[in-house]
Amino acid sequence: METPSHLLRLVLSCRKITAQVTLPRTETIVAMASSSEQEFVAQQRTRLGRFPRSRSEWDARVAARIGEKLGLRLKEAGVSAVQIDLAEELSRPPHYRRSLASLFGSIQRAGVHVAGAEKLQWP
């Protein structure tokens, strides 16, 4: 399979996760999904009030749902494959990489190939 022309970029923090697909030449965003969207607001509020607090306000289930949404948006935009920055993904802490496995899996289940995801080892 030839290298996809779209790049999947992830912005992670303890509060939110944002996944965006861009065209590398122009940095134009083709599709985007984030845990700050309306669907996740109620869930975030309940996590804020929880004690003891977790280190992250998003988990593998939220990441999977974001992957589903991004996959559907990519299909609507006519994108069938995306590329990840393998070095960047391998540099992430293990507790983030575990959750991202579900995000990449959800995108692939939506019918969009994620090039480079097969090279990652999930701890």
Side-chain angles (χ1 to χ4, degrees), residues 8-13 18 58 85-98 100 104 123:
L8 172 60
R9 294 184 175 169
L10 302 172
V11 179
L12 307 175
S13 73
T18 301
W58 58 273
D85 183 351
L86 188 59
E88 181 179 346
E89 297 309 320
L90 288 173
S91 71
R92 295 193 194 279
H95 65 274
Y96 281 151
R97 284 191 284 158
R98 278 187 213 104
L100 293 179
F104 294 138

Side-chain angles (χ1 to χ4, degrees), residues 55-74:
R55 64 179 153 186
S56 180
E57 291 182 16
W58 58 273
D59 57 9
R61 285 185 309 231
V62 172
R65 182 66 184 128
I66 290 168
E68 288 174 28
K69 293 179 86 153
L70 183 63
L72 292 174
R73 291 172 185 172
L74 288 169

Side-chain angles (χ1 to χ4, degrees), residues 98-116:
R98 278 187 213 104
S99 298
L100 293 179
S102 61
L103 181 132
F104 294 138
S106 294
I107 294 172
Q108 290 181 343
R109 281 190 297 279
V112 178
H113 176 69
V114 181

Side-chain angles (χ1 to χ4, degrees), residues 16-84:
K16 74 177 196 171
I17 176 174
T18 301
Q20 61 186 20
V21 175
T22 61
L23 286 169
R25 295 182 311 273
T26 61
E27 300 294 321
T28 305
I29 296 174
V30 176
M32 180 177 173
S34 173
S35 63
S36 61
E37 292 181 13
Q38 191 63 37
E39 174 183 338
F40 303 105
V41 171
Q43 186 179 20
Q44 286 176 342
R45 286 191 183 133
T46 59
R47 285 181 178 237
L48 281 174
R50 187 184 314 167
F51 188 80
R53 293 202 173 144
S54 67
R55 64 179 153 186
S56 180
E57 291 182 16
W58 58 273
D59 57 9
R61 285 185 309 231
V62 172
R65 182 66 184 128
I66 290 168
E68 288 174 28
K69 293 179 86 153
L70 183 63
L72 292 174
R73 291 172 185 172
L74 288 169
K75 291 301 276 185
E76 288 175 5
V79 177
S80 61
V82 295
Q83 175 76 34
I84 62 169

